[in-house]
Amino acid sequence: MALLLVLTTLSPLPAQAERLRDLGTFQGVRTNQLTGYGVVVGLSGTGDDSLEYLTQAMHGVSGRVGVQLPPGVNPALKNAAAVIITADLPAFAKPGQRIDVTVSAIGKAKSLRGGALIMTPLYGADGQVYAMAQGNLAVGGLGISGADGSKLTVNVPTVGRIADGASVERGVATGFDSGEMLRWNLYQSDFLTATRVRDSINARWPGMATIDDGMTVALRLPAGANERASVMAAIEMIEVSPAEAAAKVVINSRTGTVVINSAVRLYPAAISHGKLTVRIDESPTVVQPAPLSRGQTAVQQDSKLSAEEDGRSVILFKPGASLAKLVDALNLLGVSPSDLVAILEALKQAGALKAEIEVI
């Protein structure tokens, strides 16, 4: 594992002002996920062959274009693949607008390169159709195979994308222009930041903002889309200094990455870190008896023992030691990622590390 300490600052600095649009968003003004099940045709022998759910889908597709397949007939479609289509419907999207779609194979198709998606409805969480998708796929991956079974795959050939591949058929009402109150939500809950947001808004429009909780600020906006949109645009550009992040140490157990933010502080503590190495070398020798002595060949053991201890330094932290002191001390001790985790956990247990330790 490689040790990585991501340090944005070595000492706490005053929080810089940020726009409200970078700290949160208005409730209801968001994207909505769409999904659909369809068929990609025109593949060069890299399709799903005769999978049952693909066969059923092709029966439905052929029925829509006036071709009825006889019952019990398996089309054995090697040039078609069953796929799942996903897309994001932006806020305020109107019928006739175009959105991008992602097409992913769900069966045994080897590649979607060169395929075309047949017209497919895209559904929302409420089961209603919000868009219709169709078009030629752009696939960035490549998959080839030889007669001896050898294969070569570059990137992911079973996922493609269609730019402007879906036409919006129905919009989603956000309700931003109706209702007496409109709520603005922080991306991360923080009472101090929410208080500063409320005060900044009320400084410009007295009495407009109130706090619902640590994440939500309720806004009393004027009625009508035109006036309300103007006020919302002005609110998004207000600059606020967010509260300093809570002291936290994040440890990635898979890669050995350790991230310590600048709010971490240490109380008086002493750290001793060392590695004891014990080495035992065995060098057995064969002892032969003297001629005509009727003795037996024996093995004589020869052992050499040694012990080495490295890193016997002791580091003393004074009250309020900052992140810079902690990093310098741990570098001086020459700790590995696993040792660093053990030291941080020991400091936490001893009450000397005032920070939350999160293992991901």
Side-chain angles (χ1 to χ4, degrees), residues 241-261:
S241 296
E244 184 180 3
K248 179 176 288 189
V249 177
V250 181
I251 302 170
N252 191 319
S253 58
R254 298 181 297 276
T255 63
T257 302
V258 180
V259 180
I260 307 174
N261 70 6

Side-chain angles (χ1 to χ4, degrees), residues 104-245:
S104 306
I106 60 175
K108 298 181 179 179
K110 299 180 178 64
S111 175
L112 298 180
R113 179 178 289 272
L117 176 67
I118 299 176
M119 184 175 61
T120 303
L122 301 182
Y123 299 89
D126 56 359
Q128 301 295 321
V129 176
Y130 285 89
M132 298 295 294
Q134 181 172 285
N136 297 323
L137 275 70
V139 180
L142 174 65
I144 58 176
S145 60
D148 60 352
S150 58
K151 297 181 180 180
L152 174 63
T153 302
V154 179
N155 296 330
V156 183
T158 54
V159 177
R161 191 170 180 83
I162 307 177
D164 295 335
S167 175
V168 177
E169 301 296 328
R170 176 185 301 178
V172 177
T174 61
F176 94 99
D177 56 345
S178 61
E180 184 179 358
M181 302 294 293
L182 183 65
R183 285 166 173 78
W184 182 86
N185 298 325
L186 284 167
Y187 292 134
Q188 294 182 342
S189 177
D190 189 283
F191 283 102
L192 179 55
T193 302
T195 301
R196 292 177 178 177
V197 170
R198 178 202 61 190
D199 295 342
S200 298
I201 296 176
N202 286 337
R204 184 167 179 180
W205 297 280
M208 175 180 288
T210 57
I211 294 180
D212 282 354
D213 50 44
M215 180 173 287
T216 304
V217 177
L219 305 174
R220 191 179 300 275
L221 299 180
N226 189 46
E227 293 79 6
R228 182 164 290 193
S230 299
V231 175
M232 291 171 63
I235 290 176
E236 287 186 328
M237 299 308 295
I238 294 178
E239 293 189 349
V240 174
S241 296
E244 184 180 3

Side-chain angles (χ1 to χ4, degrees), residues 275-280 304-310 312:
K275 181 174 65 175
L276 178 63
T277 303
V278 178
R279 182 175 180 179
I280 303 176
K304 295 182 180 180
L305 306 180
S306 62
E308 298 179 357
E309 185 175 4
D310 299 329
R312 291 170 289 179

Side-chain angles (χ1 to χ4, degrees), residues 188-190 244-252 257-267 323 326 341 344-349 351-360:
Q188 294 182 342
S189 177
D190 189 283
E244 184 180 3
K248 179 176 288 189
V249 177
V250 181
I251 302 170
N252 191 319
T257 302
V258 180
V259 180
I260 307 174
N261 70 6
S262 60
V264 174
R265 291 290 182 274
L266 292 177
Y267 281 67
L323 173 61
L326 173 61
V341 173
L344 293 175
E345 290 179 344
L347 287 172
K348 178 71 173 179
Q349 291 296 323
L353 178 65
K354 298 303 180 182
E356 177 187 357
I357 297 181
E358 180 179 350
V359 180
I360 59 176

